[in-house]
Amino acid sequence: MELLKQRILADANIYEGNVLKVDSFLNHQLDVFLLDEMGKEFKKRFSDSDVTKILTVEASGISLACMAAVYFKVPVIFAKKTEALNMDEDTYNTKAYSYTRSEEYIMKVSKRYINKEDSLLIIDDFLANGEAALGLIEIARQAGAKIAGIGAAIEKGFQKGGKLLREKGYKVESLVIVKSMENGNIIFD
Amino acid sequence: MELLKQRILADANIYEGNVLKVDSFLNHQLDVFLLDEMGKEFKKRFSDSDVTKILTVEASGISLACMAAVYFKVPVIFAKKTEALNMDEDTYNTKAYSYTRSEEYIMKVSKRYINKEDSLLIIDDFLANGEAALGLIEIARQAGAKIAGIGAAIEKGFQKGGKLLREKGYKVESLVIVKSMENGNIIFD
């Protein structure tokens, strides 16, 4: 997606440990017009997929999932990472590891919101090692739901997630794939 | 806002400890069409306010803030609650207490995204004791930014937050105000 590539080249920063910082438009400050275009692009790429719900995980995936959901005309469900009084006790849940937070966490989805009739589009801001996507796939498995596909804003092509998920047979659509970011130069695939 | 009242009466559940559970449409599963209408309503209510950015806090405020931002044509910034490698070290930050999580947390916003030129609309799903809003106001104060107003989807009128914020002189707009929810009956103001 050319618009996103240009924005990354203009505004992203690279930090130690392969961190691609896009918090000026994607996951801290949010450019809702860019996100809207990205939502539209997901709809184009999954136009022949049957999608009943979009599944993401808090917090960075929520904005993009919502913008896409408007085009798919379906609800969003975001998996929760933390305990809260207002969370159902009856949940699908699984462990996942966050590299940006250097910690394992449990993601949970209330059993009331996904079931075996569902065909889920998984959406997230980044696809790197695939931890979050694999966690959401596990939640879908527990629910007996189908995976319509996996959409990421930015895939780090030099990490294993995209390859792993495609090898498992999932339709993975990343709006941009970063092939390398050595020496501060971002090269797209 | 009649549409939201009707949805609450149809789908909300009341749990012990004055918990109003709206996770089937507002903060776990998200009805993006309802959220879009709510965003439009915020624009109507703050039509004569100068808003440069919408400020919220992860995770439940993000979807509503984004939907509203489309109408205000401004970016969203969501305060982060957790440490992450991709977070700036130079932040505005403050402590707040979460009643739904029974814990104190630190909310942070990168200094790069708010400054003294900004006029911020604070948006969140709930206004109860006002903890989150007061935290975001403190962050705005640190940045020298103005507060254009505070918008909540659901205000619990029987808790102190709304009164407190209005007494401080802020323009507070809640799309619905729940006056009481005793014995399982939700009464609106």
Side-chain angles (χ1 to χ4, degrees), chain B residues 45-62:
Chain B
R45 297 198 187 191
F46 289 99
S47 60
D48 51 5
S49 303
D50 175 38
V51 175
T52 62
K53 283 171 185 167
I54 291 179
L55 180 64
T56 187
V57 58
E58 65 178 0
S60 305
I62 296 174

PDB file of all heavy atoms in Angstrom, chain B residues 45-62:
ATOM      1  N   ARG B  45     -22.423  17.950  19.742  1.00  0.00           N
ATOM      2  CA  ARG B  45     -22.427  18.588  21.064  1.00  0.00           C
ATOM      3  C   ARG B  45     -21.234  19.518  21.287  1.00  0.00           C
ATOM      4  O   ARG B  45     -21.283  20.398  22.134  1.00  0.00           O
ATOM      5  CB  ARG B  45     -22.456  17.516  22.146  1.00  0.00           C
ATOM      6  CG  ARG B  45     -23.741  16.690  22.082  1.00  0.00           C
ATOM      7  CD  ARG B  45     -23.952  15.963  23.363  1.00  0.00           C
ATOM      8  NE  ARG B  45     -25.071  15.041  23.286  1.00  0.00           N
ATOM      9  CZ  ARG B  45     -25.583  14.446  24.341  1.00  0.00           C
ATOM     10  NH1 ARG B  45     -25.071  14.667  25.546  1.00  0.00           N
ATOM     11  NH2 ARG B  45     -26.598  13.621  24.212  1.00  0.00           N
ATOM     12  N   PHE B  46     -20.148  19.260  20.560  1.00  0.00           N
ATOM     13  CA  PHE B  46     -18.975  20.133  20.705  1.00  0.00           C
ATOM     14  C   PHE B  46     -18.740  20.907  19.410  1.00  0.00           C
ATOM     15  O   PHE B  46     -17.612  21.219  19.055  1.00  0.00           O
ATOM     16  CB  PHE B  46     -17.735  19.301  21.055  1.00  0.00           C
ATOM     17  CG  PHE B  46     -17.754  18.743  22.455  1.00  0.00           C
ATOM     18  CD1 PHE B  46     -18.138  17.423  22.694  1.00  0.00           C
ATOM     19  CD2 PHE B  46     -17.387  19.541  23.543  1.00  0.00           C
ATOM     20  CE1 PHE B  46     -18.155  16.908  23.980  1.00  0.00           C
ATOM     21  CE2 PHE B  46     -17.402  19.024  24.835  1.00  0.00           C
ATOM     22  CZ  PHE B  46     -17.784  17.712  25.061  1.00  0.00           C
ATOM     23  N   SER B  47     -19.840  21.223  18.694  1.00  0.00           N
ATOM     24  CA  SER B  47     -19.695  21.850  17.376  1.00  0.00           C
ATOM     25  C   SER B  47     -19.059  23.231  17.459  1.00  0.00           C
ATOM     26  O   SER B  47     -18.396  23.669  16.532  1.00  0.00           O
ATOM     27  CB  SER B  47     -21.043  21.931  16.670  1.00  0.00           C
ATOM     28  OG  SER B  47     -21.920  22.705  17.461  1.00  0.00           O
ATOM     29  N   ASP B  48     -19.267  23.943  18.556  1.00  0.00           N
ATOM     30  CA  ASP B  48     -18.659  25.274  18.647  1.00  0.00           C
ATOM     31  C   ASP B  48     -17.360  25.280  19.455  1.00  0.00           C
ATOM     32  O   ASP B  48     -16.866  26.328  19.855  1.00  0.00           O
ATOM     33  CB  ASP B  48     -19.662  26.300  19.207  1.00  0.00           C
ATOM     34  CG  ASP B  48     -20.301  25.812  20.490  1.00  0.00           C
ATOM     35  OD1 ASP B  48     -19.892  24.735  20.993  1.00  0.00           O
ATOM     36  OD2 ASP B  48     -21.204  26.501  21.005  1.00  0.00           O
ATOM     37  N   SER B  49     -16.816  24.090  19.693  1.00  0.00           N
ATOM     38  CA  SER B  49     -15.533  24.027  20.413  1.00  0.00           C
ATOM     39  C   SER B  49     -14.395  23.863  19.421  1.00  0.00           C
ATOM     40  O   SER B  49     -14.532  23.185  18.414  1.00  0.00           O
ATOM     41  CB  SER B  49     -15.517  22.827  21.368  1.00  0.00           C
ATOM     42  OG  SER B  49     -16.585  22.901  22.276  1.00  0.00           O
ATOM     43  N   ASP B  50     -13.297  24.483  19.746  1.00  0.00           N
ATOM     44  CA  ASP B  50     -12.094  24.335  18.935  1.00  0.00           C
ATOM     45  C   ASP B  50     -11.361  23.091  19.448  1.00  0.00           C
ATOM     46  O   ASP B  50     -10.934  23.063  20.607  1.00  0.00           O
ATOM     47  CB  ASP B  50     -11.245  25.601  19.122  1.00  0.00           C
ATOM     48  CG  ASP B  50      -9.914  25.487  18.420  1.00  0.00           C
ATOM     49  OD1 ASP B  50      -9.879  24.923  17.313  1.00  0.00           O
ATOM     50  OD2 ASP B  50      -8.908  25.952  18.995  1.00  0.00           O
ATOM     51  N   VAL B  51     -11.271  22.058  18.623  1.00  0.00           N
ATOM     52  CA  VAL B  51     -10.633  20.803  19.034  1.00  0.00           C
ATOM     53  C   VAL B  51      -9.491  20.490  18.077  1.00  0.00           C
ATOM     54  O   VAL B  51      -9.706  20.363  16.877  1.00  0.00           O
ATOM     55  CB  VAL B  51     -11.642  19.633  19.032  1.00  0.00           C
ATOM     56  CG1 VAL B  51     -10.956  18.306  19.328  1.00  0.00           C
ATOM     57  CG2 VAL B  51     -12.771  19.883  20.031  1.00  0.00           C
ATOM     58  N   THR B  52      -8.281  20.397  18.587  1.00  0.00           N
ATOM     59  CA  THR B  52      -7.148  20.066  17.717  1.00  0.00           C
ATOM     60  C   THR B  52      -6.806  18.578  17.769  1.00  0.00           C
ATOM     61  O   THR B  52      -6.266  18.015  16.816  1.00  0.00           O
ATOM     62  CB  THR B  52      -5.880  20.856  18.095  1.00  0.00           C
ATOM     63  OG1 THR B  52      -5.504  20.502  19.439  1.00  0.00           O
ATOM     64  CG2 THR B  52      -6.112  22.366  18.008  1.00  0.00           C
ATOM     65  N   LYS B  53      -7.111  17.937  18.917  1.00  0.00           N
ATOM     66  CA  LYS B  53      -6.830  16.507  19.063  1.00  0.00           C
ATOM     67  C   LYS B  53      -7.800  15.897  20.047  1.00  0.00           C
ATOM     68  O   LYS B  53      -8.291  16.578  20.949  1.00  0.00           O
ATOM     69  CB  LYS B  53      -5.388  16.295  19.575  1.00  0.00           C
ATOM     70  CG  LYS B  53      -4.345  16.479  18.480  1.00  0.00           C
ATOM     71  CD  LYS B  53      -2.931  16.496  18.984  1.00  0.00           C
ATOM     72  CE  LYS B  53      -1.988  16.800  17.808  1.00  0.00           C
ATOM     73  NZ  LYS B  53      -0.621  17.141  18.243  1.00  0.00           N
ATOM     74  N   ILE B  54      -8.060  14.617  19.863  1.00  0.00           N
ATOM     75  CA  ILE B  54      -8.875  13.884  20.834  1.00  0.00           C
ATOM     76  C   ILE B  54      -7.940  13.034  21.679  1.00  0.00           C
ATOM     77  O   ILE B  54      -7.075  12.339  21.147  1.00  0.00           O
ATOM     78  CB  ILE B  54      -9.940  13.025  20.122  1.00  0.00           C
ATOM     79  CG1 ILE B  54     -10.991  13.951  19.489  1.00  0.00           C
ATOM     80  CG2 ILE B  54     -10.599  12.055  21.100  1.00  0.00           C
ATOM     81  CD1 ILE B  54     -12.089  13.245  18.732  1.00  0.00           C
ATOM     82  N   LEU B  55      -8.119  13.138  22.991  1.00  0.00           N
ATOM     83  CA  LEU B  55      -7.263  12.403  23.926  1.00  0.00           C
ATOM     84  C   LEU B  55      -8.099  11.371  24.660  1.00  0.00           C
ATOM     85  O   LEU B  55      -9.181  11.682  25.178  1.00  0.00           O
ATOM     86  CB  LEU B  55      -6.633  13.391  24.913  1.00  0.00           C
ATOM     87  CG  LEU B  55      -5.704  12.815  25.984  1.00  0.00           C
ATOM     88  CD1 LEU B  55      -4.466  12.176  25.355  1.00  0.00           C
ATOM     89  CD2 LEU B  55      -5.271  13.922  26.977  1.00  0.00           C
ATOM     90  N   THR B  56      -7.610  10.129  24.695  1.00  0.00           N
ATOM     91  CA  THR B  56      -8.300   9.079  25.440  1.00  0.00           C
ATOM     92  C   THR B  56      -7.248   8.208  26.110  1.00  0.00           C
ATOM     93  O   THR B  56      -6.068   8.543  26.102  1.00  0.00           O
ATOM     94  CB  THR B  56      -9.236   8.265  24.522  1.00  0.00           C
ATOM     95  OG1 THR B  56     -10.020   7.360  25.321  1.00  0.00           O
ATOM     96  CG2 THR B  56      -8.464   7.451  23.471  1.00  0.00           C
ATOM     97  N   VAL B  57      -7.688   7.127  26.721  1.00  0.00           N
ATOM     98  CA  VAL B  57      -6.756   6.218  27.385  1.00  0.00           C
ATOM     99  C   VAL B  57      -7.082   4.794  26.943  1.00  0.00           C
ATOM    100  O   VAL B  57      -8.244   4.453  26.727  1.00  0.00           O
ATOM    101  CB  VAL B  57      -6.789   6.427  28.925  1.00  0.00           C
ATOM    102  CG1 VAL B  57      -8.176   6.221  29.488  1.00  0.00           C
ATOM    103  CG2 VAL B  57      -5.765   5.552  29.636  1.00  0.00           C
ATOM    104  N   GLU B  58      -6.017   3.996  26.741  1.00  0.00           N
ATOM    105  CA  GLU B  58      -6.265   2.619  26.313  1.00  0.00           C
ATOM    106  C   GLU B  58      -7.002   1.868  27.402  1.00  0.00           C
ATOM    107  O   GLU B  58      -6.836   2.174  28.562  1.00  0.00           O
ATOM    108  CB  GLU B  58      -4.943   1.911  25.956  1.00  0.00           C
ATOM    109  CG  GLU B  58      -4.001   1.714  27.129  1.00  0.00           C
ATOM    110  CD  GLU B  58      -2.727   0.955  26.721  1.00  0.00           C
ATOM    111  OE1 GLU B  58      -2.550   0.583  25.569  1.00  0.00           O
ATOM    112  OE2 GLU B  58      -1.911   0.749  27.614  1.00  0.00           O
ATOM    113  N   ALA B  59      -7.761   0.835  27.041  1.00  0.00           N
ATOM    114  CA  ALA B  59      -8.066   0.400  25.710  1.00  0.00           C
ATOM    115  C   ALA B  59      -9.497   0.773  25.315  1.00  0.00           C
ATOM    116  O   ALA B  59      -9.763   1.018  24.147  1.00  0.00           O
ATOM    117  CB  ALA B  59      -7.935  -1.110  25.622  1.00  0.00           C
ATOM    118  N   SER B  60     -10.403   0.868  26.289  1.00  0.00           N
ATOM    119  CA  SER B  60     -11.824   1.005  25.951  1.00  0.00           C
ATOM    120  C   SER B  60     -12.190   2.326  25.293  1.00  0.00           C
ATOM    121  O   SER B  60     -13.212   2.420  24.619  1.00  0.00           O
ATOM    122  CB  SER B  60     -12.688   0.831  27.192  1.00  0.00           C
ATOM    123  OG  SER B  60     -12.405  -0.391  27.808  1.00  0.00           O
ATOM    124  N   GLY B  61     -11.384   3.357  25.475  1.00  0.00           N
ATOM    125  CA  GLY B  61     -11.731   4.643  24.882  1.00  0.00           C
ATOM    126  C   GLY B  61     -11.355   4.771  23.412  1.00  0.00           C
ATOM    127  O   GLY B  61     -11.866   5.649  22.712  1.00  0.00           O
ATOM    128  N   ILE B  62     -10.482   3.881  22.942  1.00  0.00           N
ATOM    129  CA  ILE B  62      -9.883   4.066  21.610  1.00  0.00           C
ATOM    130  C   ILE B  62     -10.907   4.040  20.476  1.00  0.00           C
ATOM    131  O   ILE B  62     -10.897   4.901  19.594  1.00  0.00           O
ATOM    132  CB  ILE B  62      -8.784   3.006  21.355  1.00  0.00           C
ATOM    133  CG1 ILE B  62      -7.632   3.185  22.353  1.00  0.00           C
ATOM    134  CG2 ILE B  62      -8.259   3.106  19.924  1.00  0.00           C
ATOM    135  CD1 ILE B  62      -6.561   2.095  22.286  1.00  0.00           C
TER     136      ILE B  62
END
